[in-house]
């Protein structure tokens, strides 16, 4: 009788754990959908807030969270925070070429063409024929983009 009671108790505990796990998974899925929707709607502040929660609640770090949060922070001119998130995305192996490209744009926004070139070269090591990256590299090396920006200001 005692064994039956112990077995029943174990089944109840196991069922409770499974239910909590299922509820947690549903909550994560809901937060992911919210993050994607706010990201697609260009509501970067909301996206960052949701992704902040996701990076804490999801026990398996996702490069996608850091990539999206990095992009969102860059859109709000938080280039340091953006760079931190992009570097975490790279650490997790997520969209490496795109992340290096975005890091180069962050570096350019902070007037660090040397670092921008380093990130562009990292991206080109993944796809050496990417015309957008090659064009950006040429602009930096020839100073074309600086001349264009100055002309736009004047």
């Amino acid at each position: 009788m005692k064994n039956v009671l112990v077995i029943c108790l174990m089944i109840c505990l196991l069922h409770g754990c499974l239910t909590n796990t299922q509820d947690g998974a549903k909550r994560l899925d809901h937060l992911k959908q919210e993050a994607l929707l706010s990201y697609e709607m260009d509501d970067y502040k909301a996206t960052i807030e949701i992704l902040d929660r996701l990076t804490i609640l999801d026990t398996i770090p996702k490069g996608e969270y850091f990539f999206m949060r990095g992009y969102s922070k860059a859109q709000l001119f938080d280039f340091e925070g953006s760079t931190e998130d992009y570097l975490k995305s790279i650490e997790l192996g997520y969209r490496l070429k795109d992340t290096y490209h975005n890091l180069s744009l962050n570096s350019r926004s902070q007037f660090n063409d040397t670092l921008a070139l380093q990130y562009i070269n990292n991206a080109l090591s993944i796809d050496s024929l990417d015309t957008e990256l090659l064009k950006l590299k040429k602009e930096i090396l020839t100073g074309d983009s600086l001349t264009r920006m100055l002309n736009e200001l004047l």
Side-chain angles (χ1 to χ4, degrees), residues 107-124:
S107 299
R108 302 258 5 246
S109 296
Q110 296 176 300
F111 305 103
N112 189 341
D113 284 350
T114 303
L115 189 56
L117 277 173
Q118 182 181 343
Y119 288 131
I120 289 169
N121 287 332
N122 288 345
L124 286 169

Side-chain angles (χ1 to χ4, degrees), residues 100-101 104 114-128 133-134 137 141:
Y100 282 124
H101 184 185
S104 74
T114 303
L115 189 56
L117 277 173
Q118 182 181 343
Y119 288 131
I120 289 169
N121 287 332
N122 288 345
L124 286 169
S125 73
I126 297 167
D127 181 0
S128 62
L133 289 168
L134 292 168
K137 182 175 181 174
L141 291 173

Side-chain angles (χ1 to χ4, degrees), residues 44-121:
Y44 299 116
K45 186 175 179 186
T47 302
I48 292 167
E49 291 172 5
I50 296 165
L51 290 169
D52 285 346
R53 285 187 276 161
L54 273 170
T55 57
I56 292 168
L57 295 174
D58 199 340
T59 56
I60 301 171
K62 305 279 190 300
E64 176 184 19
Y65 301 160
F66 294 99
F67 182 88
M68 285 175 34
R69 191 169 70 178
Y71 182 85
S72 298
K73 287 179 179 180
Q75 296 305 304
L76 298 175
F77 305 104
D78 176 8
F79 297 113
E80 287 182 26
S82 172
T83 296
E84 288 176 20
D85 282 339
Y86 282 144
L87 291 173
K88 183 67 176 175
S89 178
I90 286 171
E91 185 181 307
L92 295 169
Y94 184 78
R95 291 178 62 176
L96 296 176
K97 183 182 85 164
D98 294 330
T99 305
Y100 282 124
H101 184 185
N102 289 353
L103 280 166
S104 74
L105 298 175
N106 277 3
S107 299
R108 302 258 5 246
S109 296
Q110 296 176 300
F111 305 103
N112 189 341
D113 284 350
T114 303
L115 189 56
L117 277 173
Q118 182 181 343
Y119 288 131
I120 289 169
N121 287 332

Side-chain angles (χ1 to χ4, degrees), residues 27-41:
R27 180 168 182 205
L28 283 177
D29 285 342
H30 178 72
L31 282 174
K32 289 176 192 176
Q33 292 304 317
E34 277 186 52
L36 285 173
L37 181 62
S38 61
Y39 185 77
E40 290 171 1
M41 301 285 291

Side-chain angles (χ1 to χ4, degrees), residues 9-25:
L9 181 60
M10 289 175 62
I11 290 171
C12 288
L13 287 173
L14 181 60
H15 176 68
C17 289
L18 290 175
T19 301
N20 287 338
T21 301
Q22 291 168 348
D23 290 344

